[in-house]
Amino acid sequence: MDNIPLEDNMRGRADSNEAFSRAMSKLDSTLERARRSSSFIGTNATATVMNDCWDYPMEDQEDNPLVYNEDCGDQLPTVEEVRTNHAATFRKNKLLGGNCWKIAFFVVVGGLIGLIIGISVGFHEGEEFKKLEGEANGPVRDIGPQAPSPTSLIVPPTTLDLTPPPTPFPTSYPMIPATTTSEPTAGSTENSSRLDKVKSWLVDKNYASQLEMDNVNGYHHQATQWIADEDEAQVSIDDEVKFVERYVMALLYFASHKNTDTYAWTKKYEFLTSSLSVCDWGQEQEGDYRSGVTCNDEGSIIKINLVSNELRGPLISEMGLLRNLEHVMLDHNALTGTLPEQLAELTALSYLALHYNELNGKLLPEIGALTKLEFLGLGDNGFSGEIPEEWKALTDLSTLALDDNMLTGVLEVLESMTKLVRAWIGSNQLEDSIDTFSWGNLQLLEELDLSSNKFYGSIPQSLIELPILQMLILGHNKLTGKLPSSYPDDSPLRYLALSGNTLSGSIHSSIGNLVHLRHLDFSDNALEGVLPVGMSSLINLEYLFLSHNGNFSAGGVPQFLQHLTHLHDVSLGSTNRVGEIPEEVFKKLTNIIMIDLSTNELEGTIPPELGTLENLKYLLLNRNDDLVGTVPVEVQNLPHLSVFMVDQTSVTGSLAVACDRDSKPHVQLLGANCNTEDQDDDLGLGLSRMECKCCAVCCDTVGTLGPPDDTSCHDNTFFGQEDPTWENSYQRKQYQFGGEVFAEFTLNFTAIMYDPNVP
């Protein structure tokens, strides 16, 4: 090394120190500006520099003494680190002959580079943070493992909640997407919060139990989930009346409807249509009639009509929450279970129709609180027990339908129902005296059906004389005594059925006063005397059943029948009829469908004039031993003949015409003496027989039924009053014959009907 004079050496050191001071000042200012410009990266962010990242160059560069190692990333050195590095290397630079002004140059250039890098890093990290912030408010995506970025050491100021959203509800119904919020949330979505809120509210209000809410397969949970999550209307629980009404209708739907091919409503009537008010969940029908839901002018539900709509399941107790409800029509469905006590809350109710369902249990005493009730239909279910005493309070009731149940007890409750118009209580097990009841209290009574119970006593005259009584059915009880001694003039009575009792006495001639009568059934009693001529005044009569009264005085087929031109059915079997069948009587009955003259002592031949009765379907002439001759072709050719019985008579010949009707329907049931001659000879009776290759029942005159291995003929005869024709507006829809006839017909019809081996 060359020797340098001391003066020159000192001067050079001073110059070098001055240059270094200027460089350090510029570097301090540059780094501070760079640090401020990148400070938004985070209050916890620091720029760390390693000794092997920043250093001085080997050659003299006084203006830019720092060199950056690119492998170290986007990091800036602190002022202290630069000072330390410079002090450690100052002598080295002097020894290498570097000039101090070059250091300052590199410091400034390095500062500018740091500034640019800092701004770039800050901008990049800012964009990344905004992106993460947006994703935190939206759906969280699993982006998988990522390689570390140059900013991986930078931590944003807010810790993001990356908790995944809750699992969707286990339901097949479509869910409305939850509304996103502008801020990150720490938990469930808004709609999930609404579901929890609705559940809690319903439980707190005692509208549902926690157990019902927790049962995810129950209709309470399903209805709550629908109204909270899926219903676009999103009715607020603050509007309690509207919310509760919508909730109850959803409950009714889910409780009685299953979304399967075999378990669904026939018509949905817009139920659960989110875009519609609950008042629009219905459909207008012809006339002034609406199915589904009906509301009043204030928008509150007043009527529910889902008649014959395949509702199955329980009658929901929450129906009691619809305090403005006036009409409930759920009849002709398949509702099950018992009546909920909450029905007593429907104090505005005037019409409750639940008949023709599968309900059971006791009749609710609480129904007695529904004092506005005018119609109560609970018939054709499985109710048992007595009619509650509390029902005496139903003084506005006009229709009471309790028929076809298993009720017991007495009728006393009805005495206070002074506005009663229709009382249908037939087909139960009630047991009471009919002649001690205060019938005079029921001056508005029009229809009374007490049939098929255990009522006893005689028929009170006060009952027959009720001023506007139109239908009286007392059949199949334990009534005794005589028929009424008189019938009021111009009585409105249209339907009078007293069959299946032990009534005696004769039919009073004043029965002709019942000029409006359409249905008269006195069959299966112990009546006596003659058939009064006064019956000829019953010109509106359609059904006349007097059969199975063997104590009637012997007499012919009554001539008054020819005046009853509206007759559809006439049954005089087992009424001690004698003589011939009068042709002049029946040929005028052009509307006749059924003639029953069986089990009498008729004689002579079958009049061909019967063949002119084109509407005749059922002709029963069997068990008249002295009836002779052949079956007229005109009779065999009747276009609608379905059942024809001539067994146990002396009628001979062939029924081939009836069996071989090409242009008309075949006769479904024929009964005749069609046993083989060999069998008749074996009996030693030499009785006549008929040729009938299509007869389902073959009998001889002593009661032997064929085929030959059978030993008895049918002995069950036709009863006229086998079904309540009043339920069909007094029109008979079904004809029932003796069980043995049907059994033989069912078993042997196919084998015998067209068997060529049967002569």
Side-chain angles (χ1 to χ4, degrees):
M1 179 179 296
D2 297 335
N3 293 324
I4 300 175
L6 178 59
E7 183 178 351
D8 293 340
N9 185 31
M10 293 298 293
R11 187 184 301 113
R13 181 173 298 181
D15 293 340
S16 177
N17 288 337
E18 182 180 356
F20 178 77
S21 297
R22 290 197 304 271
M24 290 300 101
S25 176
K26 291 181 179 180
L27 180 59
D28 289 349
S29 176
T30 301
L31 290 177
E32 185 62 30
R33 286 196 303 271
R35 197 175 306 281
R36 284 199 304 268
S37 66
S38 61
S39 63
F40 65 87
I41 296 176
T43 55
N44 294 328
T46 57
T48 304
V49 64
M50 305 301 294
N51 288 334
D52 58 348
C53 291
W54 294 87
D55 208 341
Y56 291 95
M58 296 299 294
E59 57 273 15
D60 249 346
Q61 294 185 8
E62 296 181 14
D63 293 334
N64 190 11
L66 293 175
V67 176
Y68 172 61
N69 183 355
E70 295 181 356
D71 294 333
C72 293
D74 298 333
Q75 300 176 4
L76 298 176
T78 64
V79 175
E80 289 74 19
E81 288 170 335
V82 173
R83 290 181 183 275
T84 302
N85 287 339
H86 181 270
T89 58
F90 182 77
R91 181 175 290 105
K92 176 181 177 181
N93 284 336
K94 289 302 296 179
L95 293 174
L96 293 174
N99 297 317
C100 291
W101 65 270
K102 294 181 179 180
I103 296 174
F105 174 81
F106 280 101
V107 168
V108 172
V109 173
L112 292 175
I113 293 173
L115 176 62
I116 294 171
I117 293 173
I119 293 173
S120 299
V121 170
F123 180 81
H124 176 72
E125 292 299 325
E127 289 298 311
E128 286 295 316
F129 178 72
K130 290 180 179 179
K131 183 176 181 182
L132 288 172
E133 185 182 45
E135 291 179 351
N137 291 327
V140 178
R141 297 181 297 111
D142 182 8
I143 59 176
Q146 301 291 311
S149 68
T151 60
S152 59
L153 297 179
I154 301 174
V155 180
T158 303
T159 302
L160 298 177
D161 183 3
L162 302 183
T163 305
T167 304
F169 293 103
T171 176
S172 61
Y173 301 95
M175 295 182 64
I176 300 173
T179 304
T180 58
T181 59
S182 58
E183 296 295 333
T185 59
S188 60
T189 65
E190 180 182 339
N191 271 18
S192 295
S193 298
R194 173 174 162 83
L195 177 60
D196 294 338
K197 183 178 180 180
V198 169
K199 284 183 176 181
S200 298
W201 184 81
L202 290 171
V203 172
D204 292 342
K205 286 282 188 176
N206 291 323
Y207 294 152
S209 68
Q210 189 62 51
L211 184 62
E212 291 168 337
M213 290 291 101
D214 293 340
N215 181 9
V216 295
N217 295 319
Y219 57 86
H220 290 87
H221 178 87
Q222 293 170 334
T224 305
Q225 178 183 313
W226 177 82
I227 200 169
D229 286 351
E230 303 170 32
D231 184 11
E232 294 176 2
Q234 295 289 284
V235 178
S236 172
I237 58 178
D238 294 332
D239 192 349
E240 185 169 353
V241 173
K242 287 187 177 180
F243 182 89
V244 168
E245 289 188 341
R246 200 171 182 89
Y247 170 69
V248 172
M249 289 299 94
L251 274 178
L252 176 61
Y253 180 82
F254 284 109
S256 60
H257 171 280
K258 300 295 182 184
N259 193 17
T260 66
D261 293 337
T262 58
Y263 193 169
W265 285 12
T266 303
K267 292 183 179 180
K268 194 174 180 181
Y269 294 123
E270 305 294 347
F271 268 62
L272 302 193
T273 302
S274 295
S275 59
L276 297 178
S277 163
V278 71
C279 295
D280 295 323
W281 290 1
Q283 179 180 339
E284 299 295 336
Q285 306 294 341
E286 294 183 4
D288 187 16
Y289 180 72
R290 177 177 172 83
S291 296
V293 175
T294 301
C295 294
N296 57 19
D297 293 339
E298 289 73 35
S300 186
I301 296 176
I302 59 172
K303 183 185 295 185
I304 301 172
N305 179 5
L306 294 170
V307 175
S308 300
N309 204 46
E310 286 294 323
L311 274 67
R312 298 177 181 270
L315 180 64
I316 59 172
S317 60
E318 290 79 5
M319 194 82 74
L321 298 175
L322 306 178
R323 301 301 170 80
N324 296 312
L325 202 56
E326 299 174 3
H327 288 72
V328 174
M329 291 173 283
L330 301 177
D331 51 287
H332 291 82
N333 283 292
L335 296 174
T336 56
T338 59
L339 295 175
E341 295 179 359
Q342 290 79 357
L343 287 177
E345 302 296 328
L346 303 177
T347 55
L349 199 64
S350 63
Y351 195 103
L352 179 58
L354 298 173
H355 48 288
Y356 284 100
N357 277 287
E358 299 173 13
L359 300 168
N360 55 54
K362 307 292 184 181
L363 297 178
L364 281 180
E366 290 82 358
I367 288 180
L370 307 180
T371 55
K372 294 183 179 180
L373 209 57
E374 297 177 7
F375 182 100
L376 179 56
L378 300 175
D380 291 273
N381 281 285
F383 294 114
S384 58
E386 299 184 356
I387 303 174
E389 284 284 326
E390 291 80 355
W391 287 20
K392 289 182 178 181
L394 301 179
T395 55
D396 284 343
L397 201 64
S398 63
T399 299
L400 177 62
L402 299 176
D403 52 306
D404 291 279
N405 282 289
M406 297 177 288
L407 301 177
T408 56
V410 298
L411 280 179
E412 183 184 357
V413 174
L414 274 66
E415 290 182 336
S416 62
M417 300 177 181
T418 56
K419 295 183 181 180
L420 205 58
V421 175
R422 287 166 290 273
W424 304 328
I425 313 179
S427 299
N428 281 287
Q429 301 173 25
L430 296 168
E431 189 170 2
D432 198 0
S433 173
I434 195 174
D435 52 5
T436 60
F437 188 90
S438 300
W439 296 107
N441 292 354
L442 308 182
Q443 292 294 302
L444 301 179
L445 194 63
E446 295 180 5
E447 300 181 4
L448 177 63
D449 178 12
L450 301 180
S451 63
S452 300
N453 279 283
K454 299 177 181 179
F455 293 113
Y456 53 88
S458 59
I459 301 173
Q461 194 68 25
S462 60
L463 179 56
I464 293 293
E465 294 178 354
L466 285 174
I468 58 175
L469 188 65
Q470 298 181 26
M471 184 185 79
L472 178 59
I473 308 178
L474 303 176
H476 302 284
N477 279 288
K478 298 180 179 180
L479 301 180
T480 56
K482 297 184 181 297
L483 289 176
S485 58
S486 64
Y487 301 90
D489 291 339
D490 200 23
S491 168
L493 204 59
R494 298 194 303 167
Y495 193 109
L496 179 58
L498 307 177
S499 60
N501 286 287
T502 318
L503 297 171
S504 59
S506 60
I507 302 174
H508 196 273
S509 60
S510 63
I511 196 170
N513 293 336
L514 306 180
V515 294
H516 300 289
L517 205 61
R518 294 174 55 187
H519 186 111
L520 177 61
D521 188 356
F522 288 168
S523 62
D524 197 21
N525 277 288
L527 302 182
E528 54 193 34
V530 299
L531 301 182
V533 177
M535 294 183 72
S536 61
S537 299
L538 305 179
I539 56 176
N540 291 304
L541 202 62
E542 297 178 3
Y543 303 95
L544 175 60
F545 300 101
L546 301 176
S547 62
H548 298 277
N549 282 287
N551 294 331
F552 274 133
S553 301
V557 175
Q559 291 290 320
F560 65 73
L561 290 178
Q562 61 185 311
H563 301 293
L564 311 183
T565 55
H566 293 288
L567 273 178
H568 292 168
D569 294 1
V570 56
S571 177
L572 298 174
S574 299
T575 58
N576 207 13
R577 297 304 93 195
V578 298
E580 296 184 352
I581 301 174
E583 60 184 52
E584 70 277 6
V585 170
F586 288 104
K587 69 180 181 181
K588 294 182 180 181
L589 304 182
T590 55
N591 294 308
I592 201 74
I593 294 174
M594 192 274 292
I595 298 175
D596 175 18
L597 298 175
S598 64
T599 319
N600 281 296
E601 297 181 14
L602 297 175
E603 56 189 34
T605 60
I606 300 174
E609 286 75 12
L610 294 180
T612 64
L613 305 176
E614 294 188 355
N615 293 309
L616 190 62
K617 292 183 179 180
Y618 311 99
L619 180 56
L620 310 180
L621 302 177
N622 53 315
R623 298 176 185 165
N624 284 283
D625 293 347
D626 295 329
L627 204 59
V628 297
T630 61
V631 178
V633 173
E634 294 86 347
V635 173
Q636 297 189 52
N637 236 348
L638 282 168
H640 301 293
L641 191 62
S642 178
V643 175
F644 180 36
M645 306 295 290
V646 288
D647 57 277
Q648 299 187 63
T649 67
S650 297
V651 176
T652 60
S654 173
L655 290 175
V657 175
C659 293
D660 298 329
R661 291 152 40 114
D662 295 332
S663 60
K664 303 179 181 67
H666 293 291
V667 180
Q668 294 181 357
L669 179 60
L670 278 172
N673 298 341
C674 49
N675 283 332
T676 64
E677 290 186 8
D678 291 341
Q679 184 181 3
D680 291 340
D681 291 340
D682 291 341
L683 293 172
L685 299 174
L687 298 173
S688 59
R689 57 180 294 276
M690 297 188 68
E691 295 180 2
C692 183
K693 66 180 181 181
C694 63
C695 282
V697 177
C698 288
C699 303
D700 60 36
T701 53
V702 295
T704 301
L705 173 68
D709 56 345
D710 291 320
T711 58
S712 64
C713 195
H714 67 280
D715 55 8
N716 290 331
T717 53
F718 174 76
F719 281 92
Q721 176 61 12
E722 290 291 345
D723 61 297
T725 60
W726 64 268
E727 289 187 350
N728 302 311
S729 299
Y730 306 105
Q731 300 298 317
R732 180 171 295 282
K733 301 296 183 182
Q734 180 178 343
Y735 290 79
Q736 298 183 10
F737 296 86
E740 291 183 4
V741 174
F742 271 130
E744 188 63 27
F745 170 64
T746 303
L747 293 173
N748 298 310
F749 180 81
T750 303
I752 297 178
M753 181 62 102
Y754 296 109
D755 188 346
N757 297 320
V758 177

